Amino acid sequence: MYVKLVDELQKVKIPRAIEVCNEALELAQQMTSEIDGSTDIELADCQYHLAMLYALNGNYLKTVSIISENLTIIEENPHRHLLGRVYNLVGVAYGNLGNSSESIDYLMRALKIFQELGDQKWEAGVLNNIGDLYRQIQNHDWALMNLNMSL
């Protein structure tokens, strides 16, 4: 329920969406402690959404910080789609922070996951992000190649 609300709020009011996402996190953390950790992935998904909101708001350091705190839980979980989305988000954040080597590393990890899953929509999105990164660092041949593959 909170994730749907956050999705709607981010379209119009990111600061309010961040507040709602933090409320959802508090509830998820309470549930995790009460149920002995069985909802770790739900908690990680909420934190992914919070990190995404900070990225949409231009706070890429906070995005990386939130994901870094939860990356082990996400990597150890069988939900590969969430892991791919997390890697994509971290890759975009690092790119916007000017760390192109970390950015490409995470984006390539995301690309591999979505190719393995056969998710063409996310694969195209990651290829687009890789193309944008190469454009930012003035590598136009690689940018064009990745952007064309994203079509």
Side-chain angles (χ1 to χ4, degrees):
M1 178 174 101
Y2 272 100
V3 172
K4 288 181 182 180
L5 180 58
V6 168
D7 286 342
E8 287 303 310
L9 282 171
Q10 78 182 20
K11 295 175 187 173
V12 292
K13 219 173 188 182
I14 291 176
R16 178 65 182 130
I18 289 171
E19 288 176 27
V20 170
C21 200
N22 278 318
E23 290 173 18
L25 277 170
E26 287 178 30
L27 289 173
Q29 288 168 337
Q30 290 171 3
M31 288 174 49
T32 299
S33 62
E34 291 172 9
I35 312 174
D36 194 29
S38 62
T39 58
D40 280 348
I41 196 62
E42 287 86 358
L43 181 62
D45 190 52
C46 277
Q47 289 168 325
Y48 161 78
H49 280 87
L50 181 62
M52 183 180 60
L53 290 168
Y54 278 107
L56 289 171
N57 212 29
N59 191 339
Y60 302 108
L61 284 174
K62 185 72 172 176
T63 298
V64 171
S65 172
I66 291 168
I67 295 299
S68 295
E69 292 172 14
N70 302 287
L71 196 53
T72 303
I73 293 169
I74 297 167
E75 287 176 331
E76 292 173 353
N77 201 283
H79 291 77
R80 303 279 295 155
H81 201 272
L82 175 60
L83 181 59
R85 289 182 293 143
V86 164
Y87 284 163
N88 181 61
L89 179 60
V90 172
V92 169
Y94 274 127
N96 281 295
L97 291 169
N99 189 338
S100 57
S101 62
E102 284 290 317
S103 177
I104 197 66
D105 179 52
Y106 279 99
L107 289 171
M108 294 305 289
R109 290 185 206 181
L111 181 62
K112 182 179 178 192
I113 289 170
F114 292 124
Q115 287 172 334
E116 289 170 358
L117 294 174
D119 190 324
Q120 293 178 336
K121 176 184 165 195
W122 274 93
E123 181 182 343
V126 174
L127 285 166
N128 187 61
N129 290 337
I130 293 169
D132 281 345
L133 174 67
Y134 281 121
R135 183 189 50 77
Q136 287 174 9
I137 61 173
Q138 309 278 322
N139 189 332
H140 301 293
D141 291 338
W142 280 87
L144 185 60
M145 181 183 73
N146 282 279
L147 290 170
N148 280 333
M149 286 191 307
S150 75
L151 299 175

